[in-house]
Amino acid sequence: MSHTIRQQAKLLSRVRRLKGQMEAVERALEAERPCGELLQLLASIRGALTGLTGEILEDHLHEHVLNAEDEQARRQAVDEMSDVLKTYLR
């Protein structure tokens, strides 16, 4: 069983909070709220997204690298992580 399935309820809850935060940005833009308020909302979203990403990355390392079924699976997981990090750090 995948780590994302085991923690599905927790992860979905975090995603739903992120969705709510994005909707708050939309409402703030529509209401022409001050840019400082918008920046604060966006900073909160970035922090929440970074936290969610970090949690999934950590679980991926434990599940698919540290506890890999075999060396080929470990290599594939490392390659996946490498590709994601390259995209993430752009």
Side-chain angles (χ1 to χ4, degrees):
M1 179 184 296
S2 171
H3 56 93
T4 55
I5 293 171
R6 280 194 308 269
Q7 297 184 43
Q8 185 179 46
K10 178 181 167 185
L11 295 172
L12 285 172
S13 176
R14 291 180 79 157
V15 168
R16 289 181 183 118
R17 278 195 300 274
L18 276 163
K19 189 179 354 178
Q21 289 175 302
M22 287 300 296
E23 290 167 353
V25 170
E26 181 180 12
R27 288 189 302 273
L29 285 168
E30 290 172 344
E32 299 178 3
R33 302 300 305 155
C35 59
E37 200 172 302
L38 286 165
L39 290 168
Q40 196 63 32
L41 288 168
L42 293 169
S44 295
I45 291 167
R46 182 172 184 200
L49 183 57
T50 299
L52 176 61
T53 303
E55 183 172 343
I56 293 176
L57 284 171
E58 182 178 358
D59 289 347
H60 180 80
L61 284 170
H62 285 279
E63 180 84 14
H64 302 289
V65 177
L66 186 62
N67 298 318
E69 295 176 10
D70 54 37
E71 192 55 36
Q72 181 180 355
R74 184 183 325 278
R75 204 168 325 184
Q76 180 182 349
V78 169
D79 289 344
E80 289 172 349
M81 180 70 71
S82 178
D83 290 343
V84 168
L85 288 173
K86 286 176 189 172
T87 302
Y88 188 76
L89 295 174
R90 283 187 194 163

